[in-house]
Amino acid sequence: MKKVSILGSSGSIGTQTLDVIRAYPEDFKVVALAVDSSIDVLSKQIQEFSPEMVCVYDEKRAADLRKMVGNGVEVVSGMDGLVACAVIDSADIVMCAVVGMIGVRPVIEAVSAGKDIALANKESLVTAGHIIMPLAKEKGISVLPVDSEHSAIFQSLQGQDRSGLAKIILTASGGPFRGKTPDELKSVTVSQALSHPNWSMGKKITIDSATMVNKGLELMEARWLFDVDIDRIQILIQPQSVIHSMVEYDDGAVIAQLGTPDMRLPIQYALFYPRRMYLEGERVDFYSIGRLDFEKPDMNTFEGLRLAIEAAKTGGSMPTVYNAANECAVAEFLAGRIGFTDIPRMIKDLMDSHQVIKNPDVDTVVGIGEEIFGKYMRTERSR
Amino acid sequence: MKKVSILGSSGSIGTQTLDVIRAYPEDFKVVALAVDSSIDVLSKQIQEFSPEMVCVYDEKRAADLRKMVGNGVEVVSGMDGLVACAVIDSADIVMCAVVGMIGVRPVIEAVSAGKDIALANKESLVTAGHIIMPLAKEKGISVLPVDSEHSAIFQSLQGQDRSGLAKIILTASGGPFRGKTPDELKSVTVSQALSHPNWSMGKKITIDSATMVNKGLELMEARWLFDVDIDRIQILIQPQSVIHSMVEYDDGAVIAQLGTPDMRLPIQYALFYPRRMYLEGERVDFYSIGRLDFEKPDMNTFEGLRLAIEAAKTGGSMPTVYNAANECAVAEFLAGRIGFTDIPRMIKDLMDSHQVIKNPDVDTVVGIGEEIFGKYMRTERSR
């Protein structure tokens, strides 16, 4: 039986992680759960899964929860609480499904504590991949990707000769605005940006998908997860989202993972790895799909993607700036205070004014993020 | 350094095997070569690769070759000679690239002698898979598939949880007559049937591809190679021949191998397995491909495929009848003596009049084949 701590248990990935665990009660035990502020959801999860410890990031809400649940479970709060859930003795694996840079410290602490990581928080690798991956190697733990693209790449690398890896082909649906001109994007509303054609996800990641910043972050994440140069990662638009990503080898063979758009697949693969267990749900029906299309990404319309490649190639602290700037910009956009095309503009402005620090340590990374958040964030971060 | 015996060295797969070996002279040594009758090609191969032993199946041609090459190489002939090349002491791996049931005995003998098999001869598994696979397991040797579909399936199984295999998706280009009605096939000429849209192959296999009998034989081969019920093998038309085949797992994940149509890839993968070495050649360019299409196979137009599924489900000696009938029919068609749609008709007639023998031994299998050849084959078999 694997003991699991879930950071971000009320979100999209968190609840689907609990769906997988619910289907295999003999295989998993939930030992810790952490949320930002959704104590109503959390209290139900406590009743169902009886964790030892829960964290409510928001102090006030944590106090409210304590009154609701009594002494059966330890309620912690703030960053210390989140880290406590990440390093809890009893956990074998930590599902890190918080959104944003808030995941950096808990991931590093969990790796330091020797926990396997199921990683849905891409920001931690984007900003601190140069710290996390060597540490993971030193500690001998696995960083198991939990999004459909990186899981697909990870699956496509299993049993293959890693020394023969030629390139990674990172697929993208292209989001709701594929095929639009830069001008057409100017008038995009929040509700338009929130309607993704294929995937049902959280708000932040849905906006990131509409700007294709998400693909930029995934590119940076892939670079660290699979130890591959940015130049060897190709982005391919595959609008039907059936091919979840691919790996090309030196002999010209391409190995791909395909599937229906269902986040429970990468979640379950990470939790059971390397076992394949039955997962209820739709299967890819090639007879009815009929066709798959491929396109080159449009770097003019999706300036956020172009900037990501620039930030990734610059390296050092630049990806942190890219990511923090985007987190702020998305929050501003969701709050209705800036337009859709202001998102890449804001990222570009912050990147342009940043003096790159090579090989930043975790405090520097978090510090840069907080400085940007302090300056630009006028709303609560969505997690 | 791996020592290789090549049965069928003058054919399409044989010469491409030598291309791969030529590119990696440090990794391979050719110890034996066997051809049907092409002694001009063989004598050049002897000069270049200096094998210990060569076989010319045709006795007269063998005698001619002996005069040409002197005493530097042992020249053997007939089935005994072919088997001698298959079991030669010095070989680590035997590439079996002869076409037709002539491959059955040499493959069984090579497996018995503990050689790894690179298998391009599908007829041996189609007719004697129930003998070869258990023997391979007993001897602890590898049967490495050398055609693009089975190699793709094999590659898609590497590092994966075999117990979670849900189904095999065997792809097919559909051949030159995809989309035609049964009536339209009646007037097909030999040269039309020999022009395959994607793959450059030998004559027999090109006709088999046009009738889709080839896919039927591959279905039977896959059944043995991967120990999967016929019902769990789905045939999928993928006209661009980019997806070479796929495996679906219990969690809904599909792993696929894609590539350009280049037989050197499965050849090289089998020879170097599990290593991936550089192979010169075109790569899949998804930006320029633009799209991939999928269709259900048309069992009315391609009756040969429908009959294959019937033969495979019947089992026992029926696949041998199916295969031998097809070998005869293709030879007759190539000789201009029967029409294109007479190929499945001839297969059906022979299947209808056959009394199935359950679990036939190798002599029975070969006997059934020879009986059919003796009765119907008016021309030399093409190899």
Side-chain angles (χ1 to χ4, degrees), chain A residues 198-258:
Chain A
N198 303 328
W199 292 92
S200 159
M201 306 173 289
K203 274 189 185 184
K204 157 78 166 55
I205 197 171
T206 303
I207 300 300
D208 287 350
S209 185
T211 57
M212 289 199 73
V213 163
N214 191 41
K215 210 47 59 178
L217 295 172
E218 284 176 10
L219 178 97
M220 299 187 208
E221 195 186 2
R223 183 247 169 284
W224 292 114
L225 263 177
F226 306 114
D227 194 19
V228 165
D229 286 346
I230 291 290
D231 289 334
R232 294 208 290 164
I233 306 175
Q234 179 186 13
I235 294 172
L236 175 68
I237 307 295
Q238 204 285 281
Q240 293 89 352
S241 294
V242 170
I243 300 183
H244 291 171
S245 278
M246 307 190 257
V247 177
E248 183 190 294
Y249 293 91
D250 281 342
D251 55 4
V254 175
I255 303 290
Q257 189 254 313
L258 302 84

Side-chain angles (χ1 to χ4, degrees), chain A residues 160 235 254 258 276 287 294, chain B residues 160 235 254 258 276 287 290:
Chain A
Q160 304 294 339
I235 294 172
V254 175
L258 302 84
R276 295 265 188 200
Y287 290 165
F294 304 105
Chain B
Q160 303 295 338
I235 294 171
V254 174
L258 302 84
R276 295 265 188 199
Y287 290 164

Side-chain angles (χ1 to χ4, degrees), chain A residues 155 257-260 265 269 276 279 283-284, chain B residues 160 164 166 247-255:
Chain A
Q155 292 175 52
Q257 189 254 313
L258 302 84
T260 53
L265 170 58
Y269 190 69
R276 295 265 188 200
L279 177 65
R283 296 302 187 249
V284 182
Chain B
Q160 303 295 338
V247 177
E248 184 188 294
Y249 293 91
D250 281 342
D251 55 4
V254 174
I255 302 290

Side-chain angles (χ1 to χ4, degrees), chain A residues 284 286, chain B residues 153 167-171 232-236 244-248 254:
Chain A
V284 182
F286 291 96
Chain B
I153 296 162
K167 77 178 181 193
I168 284 174
I169 302 168
L170 184 67
T171 58
R232 293 209 291 166
I233 306 175
Q234 179 186 14
I235 294 171
L236 176 68
H244 291 171
S245 279
M246 309 189 256
V247 177
E248 184 188 294
V254 174

Side-chain angles (χ1 to χ4, degrees), chain B residues 1-4 26-30 92-93 270-273:
Chain B
M1 180 174 279
K2 219 175 253 184
K3 299 195 181 83
V4 188
E26 312 283 297
D27 293 280
F28 301 104
K29 167 85 186 94
V30 175
D92 302 309
I93 185 165
L271 290 180
F272 274 109
Y273 175 77

Side-chain angles (χ1 to χ4, degrees), chain B residues 1 22 29 44 60 63 68 94 118-119 121 128 142 172 176 179-180 245 260 264 275 283 288 297 344 366:
Chain B
M1 180 174 279
R22 192 177 288 115
K29 167 85 186 94
K44 279 178 199 146
K60 277 185 196 162
M68 289 163 68
V94 177
L119 191 65
N121 172 269
S142 301
K180 299 250 186 261
S245 279
T260 53
R264 293 174 308 156
R275 281 193 292 163
R283 298 302 187 248
S288 68
V366 172

